[in-house]
């Protein structure tokens, strides 16, 4: 049976009534012992009898035609074949659900996957891929977003008259910010093991959204999706890069089919940097018009970014700008330059990760111009209703996050630029608001309760490090009155009910709601057997109580009870403006001689509805803040201005934060329930921790030393000349 | 080429291509996939193993260079049900998320504690001669060769601090 809910109206707060105490508490991840002992199995750790090894071949030109000279390698040791069939230009975009661009024998960026080679061993395959002769017929192509000949322009919103508002305003800010491209850089490179059984394909892969990935792979290979099974029980990080099917999966499937034997293809780290997706660079102009009290009367947020020709994705830079602050005159323009650089796509918190840097830096500039505290400025600009759509907001504890966070952080100790000096370091504090749109997606899960008091949760949902194994088990345990240790969670297999997938911070709420609903249906059956109303049923530690009865679960059950939960978004998504909110605080030290920045401590005050697991949620926020530090201070893909290729295509040259870059990070959760979000009243938190985090760091740099860095990242060369 | 390694105390003989790294020898030839490949260039630390007691990036080592060496991997430190103090502390402090860098972090931390106990100074040590202070800055500096993109650094650092006494912190090795 299926318990189905379309989220058309507010649901009762059942999880406040259940009382098992499994939910919210900071439970250790159940898969932890496997992960810390090296026993968790990621895609490249599956092996099949008679397996061959595949290696991807990258394009060596920016644009043009190519052909493979198989004779250049066919006599090499271990050579099994080289294929260009079905090759995809770049990874599918998130939820694309169909094949990405397939060009045939054409190149559109340097680094594009153009072939896969297979050999008996990995070492042989790698050598063959390096030696393979490719004949190119190069053509000229635009690689610079600033001078590209094709630019798609759009005006996302033009409300009121921003130009006039800027003229009439008591105070204005008109600043331009730039951000460099970013790479997701999950620690596990993309990997696929393809095995064919006749027309049926089984793929062990490393992907975030299996139900879409199955269709993307099927369309890429021109086959029926029903003939594909994808398994991804453990995924070594994704951050957007594994939302859509990638070239190694297609390559492995093509080679395995041709060879009639299993083939495993693992991307090199350089492949991950070059042929998956990057976050686009951005140039953003933010205009703020304010009255004498600092209340916004106008807001403009324009951006220029880039992507490959015919790639549908654009970075939604103004995602939070739409609803975070008021001001009746608003205008957003977007330009997407078409260039021959690797594809741009989703990298953790697409939109907010860079859009909120500019918005929250501009708010800091406005606070200074008006002469009021940046927290006061933000609080007085929180709109009553959505300033564009007129919608009501669901739960929104932004002011509380700002105020309680400030009190906890010691914001009242903040001084002006260059007013706090310790040795050769200037010390300062910065704040930024966080906002991330909350989304509910369709999701299914099967929950089975066994008479022995154990339960099983099954869905094709993934755990990419986000804590899915933990929270789905906790939800089932809470609903069924069991200790979480009694619940087994099976994930990452397309033969299981289709979950929401991991992306957009909706996984916990969406997949979680499907588990909640499945368990709710089981509760209804138990109530019936106990002879009470479902609302009177209490389940705790394997005992069922209701009406005047109290009995162990085993006595109520002749066999296992299995129910499927199915959640779908409904009117609540359309009618209410839903988002998670927060406030990030950072204290930094800026070296007065070198311009080096060290982050000393941070605090993130987060409001994301009901927290399902305080431990994994805090880890998500830590991750977001550390990504914010990376975005603010180090991370930048450098493209070769002549060819467009990624020059710093490895982890030595692309600087993700390391242990020593990370100071004490504090997280506080503001108690909240979002009744409009889903039946569990939870909101996503995985990307909220990153939204605005980097801006808190750069605002702190200004407060420390008086240098306003508008070109990210804030490397010393952008600071010390201005000290 | 035929070589023999001692892996987690067990003699293992294998026949490898001279190009095979120590990491791939274990992962692909001995089916010991606990050690991870994150970059294959010695840049991320996910492949960290102990060779004769010292931590190395096993992706930068050719297997044939290690004939007769004693190799310790994450599998040798503990297993579910019998985890080492460091492994337990990583679970307790949520010192991981996706778990992919985790074996490298733990093996690296194990060796780092021993280096520390033997008085090795680091970039953040104030005094190169004195015994270093087991501070957060020292832990972080000495662990900075192990990247974690999920950014579980706060939990990792807390776990190492917590487990270090049980892992033999300040027990000096016998003179080499």
């Amino acid at each position: 049976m299926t318990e189905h809910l379309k989220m058309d109206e507010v649901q009762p707060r059942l999880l406040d009534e259940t009382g098992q105490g499994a939910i919210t508490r900071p439970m250790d991840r159940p898969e932890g012992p496997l992960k810390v002992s090296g026993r968790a199995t990621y895609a490249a750790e599956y092996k099949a009898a008679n397996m061959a090894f595949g290696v991807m071949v990258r394009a060596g030109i920016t644009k043009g035609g190519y052909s493979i000279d198989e004779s250049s390698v066919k006599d090499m040791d271990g050579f099994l074949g080289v294929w260009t069939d079905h090759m995809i230009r770049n990874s599918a975009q998130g939820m694309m659900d169909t094949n990405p661009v397939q060009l045939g024998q054409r190149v559109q960026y340097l680094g594009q996957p153009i072939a896969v080679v297979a050999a008996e061993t990995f070492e042989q395959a790698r050598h063959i891929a390096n030696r393979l002769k490719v004949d190119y017929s190069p053509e000229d192509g635009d690689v610079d977003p600033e001078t590209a000949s094709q630019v798609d322009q759009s005006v996302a919103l033009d409300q009121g008259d921003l130009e006039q508002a800027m003229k009439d305003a008591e105070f204005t800010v008109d600043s331009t910010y730039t951000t460099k491209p970013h790479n997701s850089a999950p620690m596990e490179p993309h990997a696929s093991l393809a095995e064919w059984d006749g027309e049926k394909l089984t793929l062990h892969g490393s992907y975030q959204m299996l139900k879409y990935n199955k269709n993307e792979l099927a369309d890429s290979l021109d086959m029926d999706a029903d003939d594909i099974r994808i398994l991804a029980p453990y995924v070594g990080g994704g951050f957007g890069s594994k939302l859509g099917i990638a070239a190694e999966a297609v390559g492995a499937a093509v080679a395995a089919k041709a060879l009639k034997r299993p083939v495993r293809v693992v991307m090199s780290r350089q492949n991950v940097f070059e042929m998956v997706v990057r976050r686009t660079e951005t140039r953003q102009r933010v205009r703020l018009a304010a009255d004498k009290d600092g209340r916004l009367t106008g807001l403009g947020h324009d951006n220029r970014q880039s992507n490959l020709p015919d790639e549908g994705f654009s970075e939604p830079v103004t995602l939070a700008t739409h609803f975070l602050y008021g001001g009746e005159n608003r205008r957003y323009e977007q330009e997407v330059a078409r260039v021959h650089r690797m594809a741009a796509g989703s990298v953790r918190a697409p939109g907010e990760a860079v859009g909120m840097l500019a918005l929250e830096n501009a708010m800091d500039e406005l606070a200074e111009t008006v002469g009021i505290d940046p927290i006061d400025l933000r609080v007085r600009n929180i709109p009553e209703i959505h300033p564009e759509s007129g919608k009501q907001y669901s739960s929104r504890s932004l002011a509380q996050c700002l105020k309680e966070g400030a009190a906890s952080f010691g914001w009242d100790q903040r001084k002006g630029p260059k007013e706090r000096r310790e040795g050769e370091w200037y010390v300062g504090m910065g704040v930024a608001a966080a906002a991330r749109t909350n989304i509910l997606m369709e999701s299914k899960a099967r929950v089975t309760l066994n008479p022995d008091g154990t339960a099983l949760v099954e869905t094709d949902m993934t755990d990419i490090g986000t804590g899915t194994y933990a929270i789905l088990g906790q939800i089932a345990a809470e609903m069924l009155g069991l200790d979480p240790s009694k619940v087994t969670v099976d994930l990452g297999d397309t033969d299981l009910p289709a979950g929401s997938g991991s992306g957009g911070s909706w996984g916990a709420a969406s997949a979680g709601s499907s588990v909640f609903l499945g368990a709710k249906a089981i509760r209804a059956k138990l109530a019936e057997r106990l002879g009470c109303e479902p609302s009177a049923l209490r389940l705790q530690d394997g005992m069922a109580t209701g009406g005047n009865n109290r009995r162990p679960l085993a006595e109520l059950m002749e066999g296992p009870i299995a129910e499927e939960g199915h959640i779908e978004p409904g009117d609540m998504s359309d009618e209410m403006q839903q988002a998670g909110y927060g406030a990030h605080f950072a204290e930094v030290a800026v070296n007065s001689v070198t311009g080096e920045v060290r982050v000393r401590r941070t605090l993130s005050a987060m409001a994301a509805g009901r927290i399902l697991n305080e431990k994994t949620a805090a880890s998500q926020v830590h991750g977001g803040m550390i990504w914010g530090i990376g975005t603010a201070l180090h991370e930048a893909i450098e493209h070769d201005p002549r060819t467009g290729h990624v020059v710093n295509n490895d982890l030595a040259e692309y600087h993700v934060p390391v242990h020593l870059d990370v100071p004490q990070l504090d997280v506080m959760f503001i108690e909240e329930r979002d009744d409009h979000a889903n039946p569990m009243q939870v909101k996503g938190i995985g990307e909220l921790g990153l939204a605005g985090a980097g801006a808190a760091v750069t605002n702190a740099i200004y407060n420390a030393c008086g240098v306003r860095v508008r070109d990210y990242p804030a490397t010393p060369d952008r600071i010390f000349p201005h000290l | 080429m035929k070589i023999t390694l001692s892996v987690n105390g067990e003699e293992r003989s294998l026949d490898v291509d001279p190009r095979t790294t120590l990491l791939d020898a274990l992962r692909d030839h001995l089916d010991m996939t606990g050690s991870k490949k994150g970059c294959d260039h010695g840049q991320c630390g996910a492949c960290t193993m102990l060779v004769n007691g010292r931590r190395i990036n096993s992706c930068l080592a050719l297997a044939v260079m290690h004939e007769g060496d004693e190799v310790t991997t994450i599998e040798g430190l503990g297993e579910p049900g019998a985890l080492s103090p460091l492994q337990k502390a990583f679970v307790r402090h949520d010192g991981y998320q996706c778990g992919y860098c985790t074996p490298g972090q733990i093996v690296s931390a194990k060796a780092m504690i021993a280096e520390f106990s033997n008085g090795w100074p680091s970039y953040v040590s104030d005094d190169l001669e004195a015994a270093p202070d087991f501070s957060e800055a020292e832990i972080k500096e000495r662990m900075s060769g192990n990247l974690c993109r999920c950014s579980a650094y706060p939990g990792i650092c807390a776990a190492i601090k917590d487990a270090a006494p049980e892992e033999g912190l300040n027990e000096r090795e016998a003179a080499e």
Side-chain angles (χ1 to χ4, degrees):
Chain A
M1 239 187 68
T2 298
E3 174 86 6
H4 173 254
L5 174 68
K6 193 158 178 285
M7 194 63 195
D8 284 332
E9 52 195 33
V10 166
Q11 299 297 306
R13 296 179 179 179
L14 182 56
L15 288 177
D16 283 331
E17 310 294 323
T18 41
Q20 173 66 26
I23 210 93
T24 304
R25 74 179 166 91
M27 188 184 88
D28 294 344
R29 295 168 200 255
E31 81 283 13
L34 292 175
K35 285 181 173 173
V36 301
S37 64
R39 267 76 172 182
T41 44
Y42 302 83
E45 285 149 22
Y46 290 90
K47 208 172 174 180
N50 197 30
M51 182 179 86
F53 292 78
V55 168
M56 300 305 299
V57 179
R58 70 195 272 275
I61 62 163
T62 301
K63 189 183 174 193
Y66 74 95
S67 61
I68 298 291
D69 178 3
E70 189 173 328
S71 67
S72 62
V73 292
K74 71 176 171 39
D75 295 331
M76 289 179 69
D77 284 349
F79 176 80
L80 294 172
V82 52
W83 299 270
T84 61
D85 319 48
H86 301 284
M87 200 48 66
I88 56 177
R89 182 181 67 175
N90 46 262
S91 292
Q93 299 289 349
M95 297 185 295
M96 198 168 173
D97 218 23
T98 182
N99 58 307
V101 172
Q102 292 173 296
L103 296 168
Q105 309 283 102
R106 295 277 306 164
V107 173
Q108 287 193 339
Y109 64 95
L110 204 161
Q112 178 186 316
I114 55 170
V116 61
V117 301
E120 296 291 347
T121 71
F122 167 65
E123 291 78 13
Q124 291 166 341
R126 184 179 55 189
H127 195 188
I128 291 164
N130 285 336
R131 289 279 300 274
L132 180 70
K133 187 166 173 287
V134 182
D135 297 316
Y136 294 107
S137 44
E139 300 164 16
D140 289 335
D142 284 328
V143 297
D144 183 351
E146 291 296 332
T147 59
S149 51
Q150 189 198 335
V151 180
D152 301 340
Q153 292 176 306
S154 59
V155 178
L157 179 80
D158 190 11
Q159 173 180 312
D161 187 342
L162 179 62
E163 300 286 343
Q164 194 60 43
M166 290 292 283
K167 281 184 197 146
D168 296 344
E170 190 77 20
F171 300 103
T172 61
V173 168
D174 184 349
S175 292
T176 297
Y177 307 85
T178 62
T179 62
K180 291 275 194 173
H182 301 140
N183 189 279
S184 292
M187 295 310 299
E188 180 206 17
H190 298 56
S192 286
L193 164 59
E195 289 179 82
W196 290 88
D197 178 5
E199 292 303 306
K200 303 260 183 204
L201 170 64
T202 302
L203 190 100
H204 286 274
S206 183
Y207 287 101
Q208 297 178 224
M209 313 193 90
L210 304 191
K211 70 179 173 190
Y212 303 104
N213 303 140
K214 192 167 122 159
N215 294 334
E216 291 153 4
L217 184 59
D219 286 350
S220 298
L221 296 170
D222 273 331
M223 63 182 284
D224 190 343
D226 291 339
D227 288 333
I228 296 180
R229 181 183 184 192
I230 301 181
L231 294 138
Y234 294 98
V235 179
F239 317 111
S241 73
K242 295 169 181 170
L243 288 174
I245 209 77
E248 98 293 334
V250 175
V254 167
K257 180 128 201 196
L259 292 174
K260 296 187 168 50
R261 60 191 276 199
V263 176
R264 188 170 81 196
V265 182
V266 184
M267 282 199 188
S268 67
R269 176 53 61 184
Q270 290 71 18
N271 290 160
V272 178
F273 269 94
E274 292 187 324
M275 56 179 71
V276 181
V277 291
R278 65 183 171 110
R279 189 199 306 284
T280 178
E281 71 292 327
T282 67
R283 176 158 52 76
Q284 303 178 50
R285 179 188 184 194
V286 178
R287 282 175 287 176
L288 301 176
D291 67 12
K292 61 181 174 35
D293 300 320
R295 285 194 177 79
L296 290 171
T297 54
L299 201 175
H301 194 169
D302 305 330
N303 78 87
R304 185 176 175 109
Q305 54 178 282
S306 69
N307 210 337
L308 278 163
D310 307 314
E311 195 62 28
F313 178 89
S314 63
E315 181 89 10
V317 171
T318 55
L319 211 54
T321 313
H322 286 289
F323 63 86
L324 188 54
Y325 301 121
E328 62 269 27
N329 302 291
R330 308 168 83 90
R331 185 177 166 88
Y332 315 125
E333 283 180 37
Q334 183 169 70
E335 295 176 349
V336 182
R338 297 297 166 183
V339 292
H340 295 279
R341 292 180 171 186
M342 70 177 285
S346 293
V347 175
R348 192 176 192 172
E352 293 92 339
V354 286
M356 288 195 73
L357 294 177
L359 178 65
E360 289 301 288
N361 283 162
M363 287 297 278
D364 204 58
E365 295 191 35
L366 181 64
E368 199 202 14
T369 306
V370 178
I372 61 172
D373 187 276
I375 291 175
D376 291 343
L377 177 75
R378 287 176 172 83
V379 171
R380 70 179 63 173
N381 279 296
I382 297 175
E384 275 185 31
I385 54 167
H386 192 300
E388 296 164 15
S389 68
K391 282 182 198 174
Q392 298 288 320
Y393 291 87
S394 68
S395 62
R396 183 178 46 155
S397 307
L398 175 58
Q400 238 178 311
C401 291
L402 286 161
K403 290 174 185 172
E404 291 182 26
S408 172
F409 193 68
W411 183 253
D412 58 350
Q413 300 300 304
R414 180 174 178 262
K415 298 189 168 75
K418 294 193 178 178
E419 287 179 11
R420 184 174 161 200
R421 190 170 171 139
E422 294 175 13
E424 62 186 27
W425 299 87
Y426 294 119
V427 181
M429 294 183 195
V431 67
R436 168 75 197 174
T437 302
N438 186 64
I439 301 167
L440 180 66
M441 297 295 285
E442 182 175 14
S443 199
K444 293 177 185 169
R446 183 164 53 240
V447 182
T448 306
L449 177 65
N450 298 308
D452 65 357
T454 62
L456 175 66
V457 172
E458 296 168 295
T459 166
D460 84 347
M461 178 62 187
T462 48
D463 187 333
I464 60 173
T466 39
T468 313
Y469 281 107
I471 59 146
L472 295 190
Q474 285 176 283
I475 293 165
E478 184 65 38
M479 290 291 285
L480 299 173
L482 303 174
D483 187 275
S485 64
K486 304 283 188 191
V487 184
T488 302
V489 179
D490 277 351
L491 301 177
D493 177 350
T494 51
D495 279 0
L496 301 176
S500 61
S502 300
S505 297
W506 59 64
S510 305
S513 289
S514 64
V515 172
F516 172 94
L517 292 171
K520 194 176 163 205
I522 294 173
R523 289 175 63 94
K525 282 205 168 153
L526 293 173
E528 191 186 323
R529 292 178 194 183
L530 198 63
C532 71
E533 287 299 311
S535 58
L537 179 73
R538 192 171 173 84
L539 298 174
Q540 202 168 347
D541 299 322
M543 294 294 292
T545 316
N548 289 322
N549 279 324
R550 178 177 164 82
R551 292 171 62 189
L553 285 180
E555 287 182 19
L556 293 174
M557 298 172 64
E558 284 157 14
I561 307 176
E563 297 285 344
E564 191 167 288
H566 179 194
I567 184 83
E568 279 189 283
D571 294 343
M572 291 295 94
S573 295
D574 303 328
E575 289 172 11
M576 304 297 292
Q577 173 59 37
Q578 297 180 21
Y581 294 89
H584 294 292
F585 298 82
E587 182 177 294
V588 307
V590 182
N591 191 289
S592 60
V593 180
T594 65
E596 179 189 3
V597 177
R598 304 299 299 173
V599 181
R600 289 193 163 185
R601 63 188 182 101
T602 69
L603 167 69
S604 303
M606 302 272 107
R610 186 193 306 277
I611 299 299
L612 293 169
N613 179 321
E614 288 170 344
K615 186 173 282 191
T616 56
S619 289
Q620 286 283 292
V621 179
H622 288 157
M625 173 47 82
I626 294 168
W627 274 59
I629 293 171
T631 307
L633 301 182
H634 335 115
E635 291 189 37
I637 287 178
E638 302 293 347
H639 292 276
D640 188 313
R642 299 160 302 175
T643 63
H645 83 276
V646 177
V647 177
N648 50 341
N649 61 359
D650 63 33
L651 291 168
E653 302 298 330
Y654 182 86
H655 297 155
V656 304
V658 304
H659 277 277
L660 197 57
D661 294 319
V662 178
Q664 177 193 336
L665 310 181
D666 290 321
V667 178
M668 59 191 277
F669 295 117
I670 304 295
E671 184 79 10
E672 199 183 56
R673 301 282 184 268
D674 195 313
D675 290 318
H676 300 91
N678 48 63
M680 302 189 300
Q681 298 84 36
V682 311
K683 293 188 287 194
I685 199 162
E687 290 159 309
L688 182 62
L690 170 56
V697 174
T698 42
N699 290 342
I701 292 172
Y702 178 76
N703 179 249
C705 69
V707 178
R708 194 63 86 176
V709 179
R710 298 192 184 90
D711 296 305
Y712 284 84
T715 42
D717 56 300
R718 287 175 170 154
I719 296 173
F720 78 78
H722 311 291
L723 283 169
Chain B
M1 294 173 71
K2 289 196 163 68
I3 57 166
T4 303
L5 303 169
S6 166
V7 183
N8 299 328
E10 200 181 319
E11 292 287 309
R12 303 294 297 266
S13 295
L14 57 167
D15 191 357
V16 294
D17 189 311
R19 295 168 293 187
T20 304
T21 63
L22 181 59
L23 175 63
D24 287 334
L26 265 71
R27 284 178 63 86
D28 288 338
H29 296 258
L30 299 180
D31 293 334
M32 297 179 68
T33 56
S35 310
K36 307 302 180 193
K37 186 188 283 191
C39 69
D40 226 5
H41 275 54
Q43 299 169 342
C44 76
C47 65
T48 307
M49 293 179 191
L50 306 183
V51 174
N52 301 330
R54 299 276 181 263
R55 54 178 169 170
I56 67 161
N57 287 321
S58 64
C59 73
L60 288 186
L62 296 173
V64 293
M65 295 162 65
H66 289 281
E67 168 66 32
D69 281 352
E70 283 182 26
V71 178
T72 305
T73 69
I74 188 70
E75 290 96 336
L77 297 189
E79 57 187 297
L83 296 175
S84 72
L86 259 173
Q87 289 170 319
K88 283 184 196 163
F90 267 67
V91 175
R92 208 161 53 237
H93 292 280
D94 216 32
Y96 60 97
Q97 292 190 37
C98 79
Y100 198 77
C101 75
T102 313
Q105 300 275 358
I106 293 172
V107 174
S108 190
K110 174 98 184 152
M112 185 273 288
I113 292 167
E115 291 161 15
F116 198 92
S117 305
N118 284 289
W120 295 20
S122 85
Y123 159 73
V124 299
S125 304
D126 291 329
D127 185 340
L128 299 186
E129 310 276 325
D133 191 21
F134 195 66
S135 63
E136 281 200 12
E138 286 281 3
I139 295 171
K140 286 174 178 172
E141 160 57 17
R142 290 159 193 259
M143 289 299 295
S144 281
N146 289 86
L147 306 182
C148 173
R149 187 55 160 166
C150 296
S151 305
Y153 297 126
I156 295 170
C157 189
I160 293 171
K161 249 166 76 177
D162 195 1
E166 282 182 274
E167 292 281 355
L169 178 68
N170 297 328
E171 290 168 20
R172 291 183 74 93
E173 275 174 28
E176 289 166 39

